[in-house]
Amino acid sequence: MSTRTTSLRRRVTLTALGVLGVILVAAGLTVQAVFTSQAERGLNALLTGRVQLAKQLAKQNVAPENLVRRVDSPGLRVSLRLPSGELIGAQPTKPGGSLRQAKARLSGPERIDGARLVISADTQLLSGAQRTLERVLIIAGVAALVLTALGLIVGIRVALSPLDAMTGLARSIAGGRRGGRLRPSKPDTELGRAASAFDEMLDALEGAERTARMSEERTRRFVADAAHELRTPIAGVRAAAEAVVDETDPARRERLAVLLVRESERASHLVDDLLDLARIDAGLTLRSEPVDLWELASACLERVRLVAPELTVELTGDRVWVSGDADRLTQILANLTDNARRAMAGRGTLAIAVRRAGPARVLVTDTGPGVPERDRERIFDRLVRLDDSRSRGSTEDTPRGGAGLGLAIARGIARAHGGDLRCLPRPDGHHGAAFELVLP
């Protein structure tokens, strides 16, 4: 699709002049028609009036010579032929051409009774007045068009100056300068609305540009950190593999094989975490089914009892059903309970409370060192680790990545369900950490 980009000034000027020209022509024709009609009516009225005057004078027994003199008027020729055949006044001419005649038979005293009156008017004066009017209208119309064109050239230049400012700003932004805005003084006018929309577009573009740069920077940092995290298990795998090849002691060889498997699992789980994050970014596909949160929490605590029997675990609340992906929700609870178990170093109390207060809520609390208030949001960033290892997501006992991805994945899964995952202060005021999973 191509857009016609002829000069806006030229288009507006020609359009305005065209409209004005049509108006002037229509007005000129109207004036001429009115003038001709009025002139014709006036001439007819003059002839009729002169005839009526002659008839009145004849009845008043006015002498024929005086009658002709009193009826006569500039632009008229009056002739009176008496019954005796005597002609008084101008010699009558044949009608037609530029002459307009009015004839009448007079009645009165014997001398004038039956006399024939002919009044002739020369319409050349009327034609001359019409031609003069036409010339005046043409000259006035041309002058009006010229003056209007000059006024439009100046006026449109001033009126379209905001568009020039908009064009200059767009070119400056294309040249790399940011932050410029039109800021219209009257945003409710046509140009004001266009300028406001232009400013909004610039805000959106610059915001998208900043977001893209931040996203690119986060991606670069994430890739660098992920490569760094992968280097450790890969290096362990390589070292263990080289040692296995060179080792001759069967017992030590077996320990190295176990280490090799463990390091391989660490690398595999880290790759799985990275794939999970990629799926979350692309839009995680969930399998929606009825899920009993109480059963999920109970299963997670049962696993904790097996792994760390010295921990005290508690499950309270109500049996709450939600619609979601049971495997993904289990992944969230497993991450939270594993983090809590590691934070307490195997000793303490791990509690899960399931409640329905509007949305479904699962509160996971522990008696570990807790999370500083300044870090309660930061721990959900990718590849973030705290000194207490709460955001690591794994230990040697549970080789689930170990790269600070667990909580980022857990929050991503929660938000994919339409909920959220937050780190809160302990609701009872005791020492430790609290994580709340909210689901619709």
Side-chain angles (χ1 to χ4, degrees):
M1 178 180 178
S2 60
T3 303
R4 298 182 62 183
T5 55
T6 56
S7 172
L8 183 59
R9 291 189 179 92
R10 184 180 306 147
R11 292 174 64 181
V12 172
T13 301
L14 293 178
T15 301
L17 292 177
V19 172
L20 179 60
V22 171
I23 293 174
L24 290 176
V25 170
L29 293 176
T30 302
V31 169
Q32 186 177 16
V34 171
F35 175 80
T36 302
S37 176
Q38 292 294 333
E40 291 285 346
R41 189 178 294 112
L43 181 59
N44 292 333
L46 177 62
L47 292 175
T48 302
R50 295 289 99 183
V51 170
Q52 294 297 328
L53 177 60
K55 289 182 178 181
Q56 292 177 3
L57 293 175
K59 290 179 179 181
Q60 295 173 5
N61 197 20
V62 176
E65 293 81 2
N66 291 336
L67 186 148
V68 171
R69 187 169 55 253
R70 293 179 63 177
V71 171
D72 197 6
S73 179
L76 298 179
R77 299 176 62 183
V78 181
S79 63
L80 180 63
R81 186 173 294 277
L82 299 176
S84 62
E86 181 183 358
L87 179 65
I88 300 175
Q91 180 70 29
T93 58
K94 293 183 180 181
S98 61
L99 290 178
R100 183 79 55 83
Q101 288 185 341
K103 299 178 180 180
R105 187 177 294 275
L106 303 181
S107 60
E110 182 180 355
R111 182 184 178 189
I112 202 172
D113 187 46
R116 299 182 60 186
L117 176 69
V118 178
I119 303 176
S120 302
D122 192 351
T123 58
Q124 288 185 352
L125 295 176
L126 179 60
S127 300
Q130 289 178 337
R131 288 192 293 272
T132 301
L133 177 62
E134 291 175 358
R135 286 194 296 270
V136 170
L137 290 176
I138 292 174
I139 294 173
V142 172
L145 289 175
V146 172
L147 293 176
T148 301
L150 295 176
L152 286 174
I153 292 174
V154 177
I156 291 176
R157 185 181 300 276
V158 175
L160 297 183
S161 58
L163 293 181
D164 292 333
M166 196 178 301
T167 302
L169 179 59
R171 288 176 176 171
S172 67
I173 291 175
R177 187 172 69 86
R178 299 292 187 268
R181 295 294 184 272
L182 295 174
R183 296 183 180 87
S185 58
K186 295 181 179 179
D188 57 338
T189 62
E190 291 81 359
L191 286 175
R193 287 192 291 269
S196 297
F198 192 79
D199 286 348
E200 292 172 2
M201 180 191 67
L202 292 180
D203 291 338
L205 288 176
E206 292 184 9
E209 185 179 27
R210 286 193 298 269
T211 301
R213 289 178 178 175
M214 293 173 60
S215 176
E216 182 181 4
E217 180 62 27
R218 287 196 302 268
T219 301
R220 289 177 179 175
R221 186 167 61 250
F222 177 73
V223 171
D225 291 341
H228 177 74
E229 294 294 335
L230 279 171
R231 187 181 298 118
T232 300
I234 291 175
V237 169
R238 179 178 179 180
E242 291 176 350
V244 166
V245 172
D246 297 333
E247 185 59 49
T248 57
D249 182 13
R252 181 170 173 78
R253 189 183 183 91
E254 183 177 354
R255 288 196 299 272
L256 289 173
V258 172
L259 177 62
L260 177 61
V261 172
R262 181 175 295 171
E263 292 298 321
S264 299
E265 289 180 349
R266 286 182 61 191
S268 175
H269 287 309
L270 179 56
V271 171
D272 289 341
D273 285 346
L274 293 174
L275 291 176
D276 281 342
L277 286 174
R279 293 188 188 100
I280 290 172
D281 291 339
L284 189 62
T285 301
L286 300 174
R287 184 178 69 255
S288 182
E289 59 184 357
V291 178
D292 187 346
L293 293 180
W294 176 279
E295 288 293 337
L296 291 187
S298 177
C300 286
L301 290 181
E302 186 63 30
R303 187 175 64 85
V304 172
R305 288 191 186 97
L306 295 176
V307 175
E310 65 276 11
L311 279 180
T312 301
V313 296
E314 299 176 355
L315 177 59
T316 60
D318 308 315
R319 190 172 291 273
V320 178
W321 290 81
V322 297
S323 178
D325 191 319
D327 293 337
R328 292 296 186 179
L329 295 177
T330 299
Q331 185 176 347
I332 297 176
L333 295 179
N335 179 272
L336 297 178
T337 54
D338 287 345
N339 283 350
R341 176 175 57 81
R342 288 192 302 272
M344 293 184 291
R347 288 182 174 83
T349 300
L350 171 61
I352 299 181
V354 182
R355 296 283 187 272
R356 178 181 295 281
R361 299 176 186 273
V362 180
L363 184 66
V364 181
T365 60
D366 62 60
T367 56
V371 180
E373 182 177 359
R374 66 179 181 276
D375 295 324
R376 285 175 186 162
E377 185 64 26
R378 192 171 68 88
I379 59 174
F380 292 102
D381 292 340
R382 301 176 181 184
L383 298 171
V384 172
R385 301 183 184 186
L386 304 183
D387 293 338
D388 62 5
S389 301
R390 182 167 294 279
S391 67
R392 292 182 186 177
S394 74
T395 62
E396 291 183 357
D397 297 333
T398 309
R400 181 59 180 165
L405 299 176
L407 288 177
I409 294 173
R411 171 174 274 187
I413 295 173
R415 290 182 173 176
H417 279 82
D420 203 359
L421 179 63
R422 299 173 293 182
C423 180
L424 307 173
R426 281 285 297 260
D428 51 12
H430 293 168
H431 193 61
F435 288 83
E436 183 183 50
L437 172 62
V438 181
L439 295 171

